[in-house]
Amino acid sequence: TWTATAMLQESDRPQGLFSEKAAVGHFEYAITREISLLGTGGYDKIDNTVSLSRDLSGPIGMGGIGLTLGEDFSLRFEIGQKYNDLSYQGSLRWNIGPTASLVGTATDTITTPEGQLLDNLAGLTASANGALTSSSSLYGNGTAASLSSFSAQSPGALSYNQNIARYQNITLTYSQDFARDHASIGIFLNKQEILDTTFFVGQRDNNSWGGNANWSHDLTRLMSANLGVGYIRYQELGGHAGVYNANAGLNYSLSPDTGIYVRGDYLRRDSSTSLQNLSAFTGSLDDIRVSVGLNHRL
Protein backbone atom coordinates (compact mmCIF):
# COMPACT_ATOMS: atom_id res chain seq x y z
CA THR A 1 0.00 0.00 0.00
CA TRP A 2 1.07 3.61 -0.44
CA THR A 3 -0.12 7.12 0.36
CA ALA A 4 1.03 10.55 -0.87
CA THR A 5 0.49 13.77 1.07
CA ALA A 6 1.09 17.44 0.24
CA MET A 7 0.94 19.93 3.10
CA LEU A 8 1.13 23.72 3.53
CA GLN A 9 1.00 25.10 7.06
CA GLU A 10 1.52 28.70 8.13
CA SER A 11 1.50 30.42 11.52
CA ASP A 12 1.29 34.22 11.35
CA ARG A 13 2.41 35.57 14.72
CA PRO A 14 3.55 38.98 16.02
CA GLN A 15 7.07 37.54 16.01
CA GLY A 16 6.87 36.71 12.27
CA LEU A 17 5.47 34.26 9.73
CA PHE A 18 6.44 30.61 10.15
CA SER A 19 5.63 28.25 7.28
CA GLU A 20 6.20 24.61 6.37
CA LYS A 21 5.64 23.06 2.95
CA ALA A 22 6.05 19.31 2.54
CA ALA A 23 5.42 16.59 -0.04
CA VAL A 24 5.70 13.11 1.48
CA GLY A 25 5.05 9.56 0.33
CA HIS A 26 4.57 6.61 2.66
CA PHE A 27 4.99 3.01 1.51
CA GLU A 28 4.24 -0.30 3.20
CA TYR A 29 5.04 -3.77 1.88
CA ALA A 30 3.76 -6.84 3.72
CA ILE A 31 6.33 -9.64 3.85
CA THR A 32 3.90 -11.80 5.81
CA ARG A 33 0.53 -11.18 7.45
CA GLU A 34 2.37 -10.03 10.56
CA ILE A 35 5.52 -8.25 9.30
CA SER A 36 5.70 -5.23 6.97
CA LEU A 37 8.50 -3.05 5.65
CA LEU A 38 7.84 0.69 6.03
CA GLY A 39 9.32 3.60 4.09
CA THR A 40 8.78 7.36 4.05
CA GLY A 41 10.33 9.77 1.53
CA GLY A 42 9.84 13.31 0.29
CA TYR A 43 10.94 16.89 0.80
CA ASP A 44 10.24 19.37 3.59
CA LYS A 45 10.80 23.14 3.30
CA ILE A 46 10.67 25.30 6.44
CA ASP A 47 10.80 29.12 6.40
CA ASN A 48 10.52 31.84 9.00
CA THR A 49 10.52 35.65 8.70
CA VAL A 50 13.44 35.79 11.14
CA SER A 51 16.25 33.38 10.30
CA LEU A 52 16.40 30.23 12.41
CA SER A 53 19.54 28.87 14.05
CA ARG A 54 20.14 26.30 11.27
CA ASP A 55 18.84 25.16 7.88
CA LEU A 56 15.96 22.73 8.36
CA SER A 57 14.79 22.29 4.75
CA GLY A 58 15.81 19.12 3.01
CA PRO A 59 14.87 15.62 1.87
CA ILE A 60 13.06 13.10 4.05
CA GLY A 61 14.20 9.50 3.98
CA MET A 62 13.11 7.01 6.63
CA GLY A 63 12.63 3.26 6.86
CA GLY A 64 11.45 0.78 9.42
CA ILE A 65 9.28 -2.17 10.25
CA GLY A 66 5.68 -2.86 11.19
CA LEU A 67 4.49 -5.77 13.32
CA THR A 68 0.80 -6.71 13.60
CA LEU A 69 -0.36 -9.66 15.70
CA GLY A 70 -4.11 -10.01 15.24
CA GLU A 71 -6.36 -7.13 16.25
CA ASP A 72 -4.76 -6.53 19.63
CA PHE A 73 -1.09 -5.75 18.87
CA SER A 74 0.33 -3.18 16.47
CA LEU A 75 3.88 -1.75 16.36
CA ARG A 76 5.20 0.76 13.81
CA PHE A 77 8.69 2.29 13.91
CA GLU A 78 10.79 4.23 11.39
CA ILE A 79 14.20 5.89 11.62
CA GLY A 80 16.17 7.96 9.13
CA GLN A 81 16.72 11.58 8.07
CA LYS A 82 14.44 14.55 8.55
CA TYR A 83 15.16 18.23 9.20
CA ASN A 84 18.75 17.51 8.08
CA ASP A 85 19.23 15.38 11.17
CA LEU A 86 18.57 11.91 12.58
CA SER A 87 14.84 11.41 13.15
CA TYR A 88 12.42 8.73 14.33
CA GLN A 89 8.68 8.14 14.54
CA GLY A 90 6.50 5.28 15.67
CA SER A 91 3.48 3.97 17.54
CA LEU A 92 2.58 1.01 19.74
CA ARG A 93 -0.80 -0.36 20.82
CA TRP A 94 -1.18 -3.59 22.77
CA ASN A 95 -4.66 -4.47 24.00
CA ILE A 96 -3.56 -6.83 26.76
CA GLY A 97 -7.15 -7.56 27.73
CA PRO A 98 -10.65 -6.06 27.47
CA THR A 99 -9.74 -3.49 30.17
CA ALA A 100 -5.94 -3.36 29.95
CA SER A 101 -3.69 -1.68 27.39
CA LEU A 102 -0.14 -0.50 26.71
CA VAL A 103 0.14 2.47 24.33
CA GLY A 104 3.26 4.28 23.12
CA THR A 105 4.17 7.04 20.65
CA ALA A 106 7.34 8.53 19.18
CA THR A 107 7.05 11.86 17.33
CA ASP A 108 9.37 14.45 15.79
CA THR A 109 7.96 17.86 14.79
CA ILE A 110 8.98 21.49 14.34
CA THR A 111 6.33 24.01 15.31
CA THR A 112 5.42 27.06 17.34
CA PRO A 113 4.17 26.71 20.95
CA GLU A 114 0.64 27.48 19.75
CA GLY A 115 0.96 24.93 16.94
CA GLN A 116 2.08 22.25 19.39
CA LEU A 117 -1.07 22.76 21.48
CA LEU A 118 -3.27 22.51 18.40
CA ASP A 119 -1.44 19.39 17.18
CA ASN A 120 -1.98 17.73 20.57
CA LEU A 121 -5.74 18.17 20.17
CA ALA A 122 -5.52 15.39 17.57
CA GLY A 123 -5.18 13.02 20.54
CA LEU A 124 -8.65 13.95 21.82
CA THR A 125 -11.31 11.34 21.05
CA ALA A 126 -14.58 9.93 22.41
CA SER A 127 -15.25 6.59 24.06
CA ALA A 128 -18.07 4.24 23.10
CA ASN A 129 -20.43 6.00 25.55
CA GLY A 130 -19.56 9.45 24.17
CA ALA A 131 -17.19 10.61 26.95
CA LEU A 132 -14.21 12.70 25.79
CA THR A 133 -10.82 11.19 26.53
CA SER A 134 -7.35 10.75 25.04
CA SER A 135 -6.82 8.13 22.33
CA SER A 136 -4.15 6.45 24.49
CA SER A 137 -6.77 5.83 27.21
CA LEU A 138 -9.14 3.74 25.07
CA TYR A 139 -9.33 0.00 25.62
CA GLY A 140 -9.86 -2.57 22.91
CA ASN A 141 -13.57 -2.82 23.80
CA GLY A 142 -14.08 0.90 23.11
CA THR A 143 -14.44 2.06 26.72
CA ALA A 144 -12.13 4.58 28.36
CA ALA A 145 -9.82 3.82 31.28
CA SER A 146 -11.31 4.91 34.60
CA LEU A 147 -8.22 7.04 35.37
CA SER A 148 -8.05 8.53 31.88
CA SER A 149 -7.31 12.21 31.39
CA PHE A 150 -6.47 14.59 28.56
CA SER A 151 -4.19 17.61 28.30
CA ALA A 152 -3.25 19.66 25.25
CA GLN A 153 0.10 20.37 26.89
CA SER A 154 2.84 17.81 26.17
CA PRO A 155 4.32 15.86 29.12
CA GLY A 156 7.28 17.67 30.64
CA ALA A 157 6.36 21.09 29.21
CA LEU A 158 6.14 23.07 32.42
CA SER A 159 6.02 26.57 30.91
CA TYR A 160 5.01 28.32 27.72
CA ASN A 161 7.35 30.43 25.62
CA GLN A 162 7.33 32.05 22.19
CA ASN A 163 10.15 30.01 20.66
CA ILE A 164 9.93 27.98 17.47
CA ALA A 165 11.38 24.62 18.42
CA ARG A 166 11.87 21.03 17.41
CA TYR A 167 10.05 18.63 19.72
CA GLN A 168 11.05 14.95 19.92
CA ASN A 169 8.71 13.07 22.26
CA ILE A 170 8.47 9.46 23.44
CA THR A 171 5.58 8.37 25.69
CA LEU A 172 4.46 5.02 27.11
CA THR A 173 1.23 4.52 29.07
CA TYR A 174 -0.16 1.43 30.79
CA SER A 175 -3.78 1.39 32.02
CA GLN A 176 -5.88 -1.34 33.62
CA ASP A 177 -9.25 -1.60 35.35
CA PHE A 178 -9.86 -4.47 37.74
CA ALA A 179 -13.13 -5.30 39.51
CA ARG A 180 -12.79 -2.57 42.14
CA ASP A 181 -9.28 -1.27 41.49
CA HIS A 182 -8.01 0.99 38.71
CA ALA A 183 -4.39 1.73 37.82
CA SER A 184 -2.43 3.89 35.40
CA ILE A 185 1.34 4.31 34.87
CA GLY A 186 2.95 6.65 32.36
CA ILE A 187 6.53 7.59 31.45
CA PHE A 188 7.88 10.11 28.94
CA LEU A 189 11.11 11.45 27.44
CA ASN A 190 11.21 14.80 25.60
CA LYS A 191 13.89 16.75 23.78
CA GLN A 192 13.37 20.37 22.77
CA GLU A 193 15.74 22.15 20.38
CA ILE A 194 15.09 25.91 20.36
CA LEU A 195 15.52 27.26 16.82
CA ASP A 196 14.76 30.96 17.32
CA THR A 197 17.60 33.47 17.10
CA THR A 198 15.55 36.07 19.02
CA PHE A 199 13.66 35.87 22.33
CA PHE A 200 16.14 33.20 23.42
CA VAL A 201 17.40 32.61 26.97
CA GLY A 202 19.49 29.66 28.20
CA GLN A 203 20.64 26.63 26.23
CA ARG A 204 19.19 25.51 22.88
CA ASP A 205 18.77 21.82 23.76
CA ASN A 206 16.51 21.10 26.72
CA ASN A 207 15.68 17.58 27.87
CA SER A 208 12.93 16.45 30.22
CA TRP A 209 11.84 13.06 31.47
CA GLY A 210 9.61 11.65 34.15
CA GLY A 211 6.58 9.57 34.98
CA ASN A 212 3.50 9.22 37.12
CA ALA A 213 1.47 6.45 38.73
CA ASN A 214 -2.15 6.59 39.86
CA TRP A 215 -4.33 4.09 41.70
CA SER A 216 -7.99 4.15 42.68
CA HIS A 217 -10.11 1.76 44.77
CA ASP A 218 -13.91 1.56 44.97
CA LEU A 219 -14.56 1.45 48.70
CA THR A 220 -18.30 1.10 48.10
CA ARG A 221 -20.60 1.59 45.13
CA LEU A 222 -20.77 5.30 46.02
CA MET A 223 -17.32 6.05 47.45
CA SER A 224 -13.82 5.72 45.98
CA ALA A 225 -10.30 6.57 47.16
CA ASN A 226 -7.35 7.53 44.98
CA LEU A 227 -3.58 7.96 45.30
CA GLY A 228 -1.06 9.40 42.85
CA VAL A 229 2.69 10.12 42.66
CA GLY A 230 4.86 11.65 39.97
CA TYR A 231 8.31 13.04 39.15
CA ILE A 232 9.57 15.31 36.36
CA ARG A 233 13.15 16.41 35.72
CA TYR A 234 13.56 19.17 33.16
CA GLN A 235 16.03 21.68 31.77
CA GLU A 236 14.97 25.29 31.23
CA LEU A 237 16.48 28.81 31.08
CA GLY A 238 20.02 27.48 31.41
CA GLY A 239 19.32 25.40 34.53
CA HIS A 240 17.50 22.28 35.66
CA ALA A 241 14.97 21.26 38.29
CA GLY A 242 13.22 18.20 39.67
CA VAL A 243 9.52 18.30 40.56
CA TYR A 244 7.97 15.76 42.93
CA ASN A 245 4.21 15.55 43.43
CA ALA A 246 1.82 13.37 45.40
CA ASN A 247 -1.95 13.47 45.86
CA ALA A 248 -4.71 11.58 47.66
CA GLY A 249 -8.46 11.99 47.77
CA LEU A 250 -11.94 10.64 48.46
CA ASN A 251 -14.93 10.90 46.12
CA TYR A 252 -18.57 10.32 47.13
CA SER A 253 -21.44 10.11 44.66
CA LEU A 254 -24.65 11.82 45.79
CA SER A 255 -26.43 10.93 42.54
CA PRO A 256 -25.47 9.77 39.02
CA ASP A 257 -24.67 13.41 38.13
CA THR A 258 -23.57 14.95 41.44
CA GLY A 259 -20.73 14.20 43.80
CA ILE A 260 -18.55 15.67 46.54
CA TYR A 261 -14.82 15.23 47.04
CA VAL A 262 -11.89 16.03 49.30
CA ARG A 263 -8.36 16.10 47.89
CA GLY A 264 -4.87 16.82 49.16
CA ASP A 265 -1.89 17.72 46.94
CA TYR A 266 1.81 18.10 47.73
CA LEU A 267 4.40 19.51 45.32
CA ARG A 268 8.13 20.11 45.76
CA ARG A 269 10.50 21.66 43.23
CA ASP A 270 14.27 21.44 43.68
CA SER A 271 15.90 24.02 41.36
CA SER A 272 19.55 24.29 40.38
CA THR A 273 21.60 27.24 41.61
CA SER A 274 21.28 29.04 38.26
CA LEU A 275 17.48 28.87 38.39
CA GLN A 276 17.39 30.01 42.01
CA ASN A 277 19.50 33.05 41.12
CA LEU A 278 17.40 33.86 38.05
CA SER A 279 14.12 34.71 39.75
CA ALA A 280 12.01 34.09 42.83
CA PHE A 281 9.50 32.35 40.54
CA THR A 282 12.05 29.74 39.34
CA GLY A 283 13.59 28.85 42.70
CA SER A 284 12.96 25.85 44.93
CA LEU A 285 9.55 25.64 46.59
CA ASP A 286 7.08 23.50 48.53
CA ASP A 287 3.32 23.67 48.18
CA ILE A 288 0.52 21.88 50.04
CA ARG A 289 -3.13 22.24 49.04
CA VAL A 290 -6.33 20.74 50.47
CA SER A 291 -9.55 21.05 48.45
CA VAL A 292 -13.16 20.25 49.28
CA GLY A 293 -15.66 20.56 46.46
CA LEU A 294 -18.93 19.73 44.78
CA ASN A 295 -19.26 18.68 41.15
CA HIS A 296 -22.41 18.37 39.03
CA ARG A 297 -22.81 17.25 35.43
CA LEU A 298 -25.50 19.08 33.45
Side-chain angles (χ1 to χ4, degrees):
T1 61
W2 61 271
T3 59
T5 305
M7 179 267 288
L8 167 62
Q9 179 174 284
E10 292 187 342
S11 298
D12 192 3
R13 312 185 301 155
Q15 296 83 5
L17 178 66
F18 173 75
S19 68
E20 180 177 8
K21 308 176 185 70
V24 180
H26 178 74
F27 308 88
E28 181 172 350
Y29 180 79
I31 301 175
T32 67
R33 289 181 178 271
E34 294 81 18
I35 302 175
S36 301
L37 295 180
L38 308 178
T40 300
Y43 192 86
D44 196 3
K45 182 173 177 57
I46 295 177
D47 296 300
N48 190 53
T49 304
V50 179
S51 298
L52 300 176
S53 60
R54 64 181 181 89
D55 183 18
L56 303 166
S57 301
I60 301 173
M62 306 180 72
I65 191 169
L67 178 62
T68 303
L69 303 177
E71 298 181 353
D72 293 324
F73 185 92
S74 175
L75 172 66
R76 298 284 187 271
F77 184 76
E78 290 183 83
I79 189 170
Q81 176 174 292
K82 187 179 180 183
Y83 307 133
N84 292 322
D85 197 5
L86 180 67
S87 178
Y88 54 80
Q89 60 187 22
S91 64
L92 166 68
R93 172 165 283 277
W94 182 14
N95 297 323
I96 303 173
T99 58
S101 67
L102 180 66
V103 179
T105 61
T107 59
D108 186 0
T109 58
I110 292 177
T111 185
T112 63
E114 302 88 351
Q116 186 190 38
L117 293 176
L118 292 174
D119 291 342
N120 288 343
L121 289 177
L124 181 63
T125 187
S127 63
N129 61 4
L132 294 178
T133 185
S134 63
S135 56
S136 62
S137 299
L138 284 180
Y139 291 136
N141 61 9
T143 63
S146 297
L147 298 179
S148 64
S149 62
F150 174 81
S151 174
Q153 190 175 8
S154 298
L158 298 183
S159 66
Y160 294 107
N161 55 54
Q162 288 301 313
N163 295 315
I164 297 172
R166 179 184 180 187
Y167 301 94
Q168 294 173 281
N169 303 322
I170 297 175
T171 63
L172 190 64
T173 304
Y174 171 77
S175 302
Q176 184 164 2
D177 286 324
F178 304 91
R180 297 176 62 181
D181 293 283
H182 319 279
S184 175
I185 300 174
I187 57 175
F188 71 89
L189 175 64
N190 294 343
K191 180 180 179 181
Q192 179 194 51
E193 179 189 359
I194 298 176
L195 300 168
D196 271 329
T197 54
T198 57
F199 306 105
F200 167 70
V201 178
Q203 65 236 40
R204 292 204 174 274
D205 291 335
N206 297 288
N207 299 312
S208 62
W209 58 269
N212 61 79
N214 294 280
W215 171 82
S216 174
H217 177 69
D218 298 330
L219 299 172
T220 67
R221 296 185 62 182
L222 300 178
M223 179 180 291
S224 64
N226 61 274
L227 293 171
V229 294
Y231 176 76
I232 298 175
R233 183 175 178 84
Y234 67 97
Q235 297 172 320
E236 191 173 47
L237 303 173
H240 61 84
V243 177
Y244 307 82
N245 68 82
N247 63 80
L250 288 173
N251 301 275
Y252 184 80
S253 178
L254 299 174
S255 72
D257 297 322
T258 306
I260 57 175
Y261 65 88
V262 57
R263 177 186 172 101
D265 293 272
Y266 172 76
L267 182 144
R268 176 179 175 83
R269 181 176 68 201
D270 293 328
S271 299
S272 63
T273 302
S274 59
L275 286 183
Q276 294 182 43
N277 296 334
L278 182 64
S279 166
F281 298 103
T282 57
S284 298
L285 61 81
D286 290 89
D287 184 74
I288 298 176
R289 181 175 301 175
V290 177
S291 306
V292 178
L294 170 72
N295 58 69
H296 177 73
R297 183 175 59 187
L298 299 177

